Amino acid sequence: REKDDKYKNWMPKFLASKEAKDRRKSSDYVERTIFKLKKSNEEKSKKMEKEEKIFRETFLYDKEISVINTATAACSVPSKRRADLPVTAGEQLDVIDVTEGSAVICRNSEGRYGYVLVEHLNFR
C-alpha cells in the first residue's frame, strides 16, 4: 500500500478542478461558522450568568428564575433608578416576577433584569 501512495501522481492546487476547490471552500466555511456560533453562544451564556448574579445581589432574589409571561414594550422608557430596566418600544421582555405595586420584574433579550411599570407593557 505504501508503494501505491508513494507513486501516486501529485497535482498542484492551481491545476485542481474548479469544482473541487469550491467543495473544499464550502466545507471550510461551514466548519468556521459552526465554531463562531459556539464561541458566541459561550460568551452570551457567560454574560447571562453575570447579569443573573448581579440581579440576585441587587434585588436579594433567592427564588428560581422562571418566565411567567412575555410582553412587548409599548413605548421607550429610560431608566430613572439603577433597579429600573430601560426599554425601547417593541422590545420583547420576559416577565419574571410580579411585585405588590404596579411594577413587574422583567428580563430583556440581553439578559438584563429590572423593574418595568405595567402601563408600559402590552401582554398577549
Side-chain angles (χ1 to χ4, degrees), residues 17-31:
S17 68
K18 191 172 185 177
E19 295 170 359
K21 285 182 182 178
D22 291 341
R23 264 188 267 127
R24 191 170 45 243
K25 284 181 183 177
S26 65
S27 66
D28 289 345
Y29 177 75
V30 169
E31 289 175 11

Side-chain angles (χ1 to χ4, degrees), residues 43-82:
E43 290 173 358
K44 194 172 185 178
S45 66
K46 286 181 183 179
K47 185 178 179 182
M48 296 282 263
E49 288 174 7
K50 183 180 175 186
E51 291 290 342
E52 182 179 334
K53 183 180 176 185
I54 293 170
F55 163 70
R56 288 188 181 279
E57 291 173 357
T58 306
F59 289 81
L60 302 173
Y61 196 82
D62 57 351
K63 296 185 249 177
E64 182 181 347
I65 295 175
S66 61
V67 178
I68 299 171
N69 201 346
T70 56
T72 55
C75 58
S76 297
V77 181
S79 62
K80 296 176 184 173
R81 302 176 297 167
R82 186 170 183 235

Side-chain angles (χ1 to χ4, degrees), residues 41 58 65 96 119:
N41 286 342
T58 306
I65 295 175
I96 304 299
E119 301 108 39

Side-chain angles (χ1 to χ4, degrees), residues 28-45:
D28 289 345
Y29 177 75
V30 169
E31 289 175 11
R32 287 183 184 143
T33 56
I34 289 171
F35 290 126
K36 284 181 182 178
L37 291 175
K38 286 182 181 176
K39 187 176 180 183
S40 66
N41 286 342
E42 288 176 11
E43 290 173 358
K44 194 172 185 178
S45 66

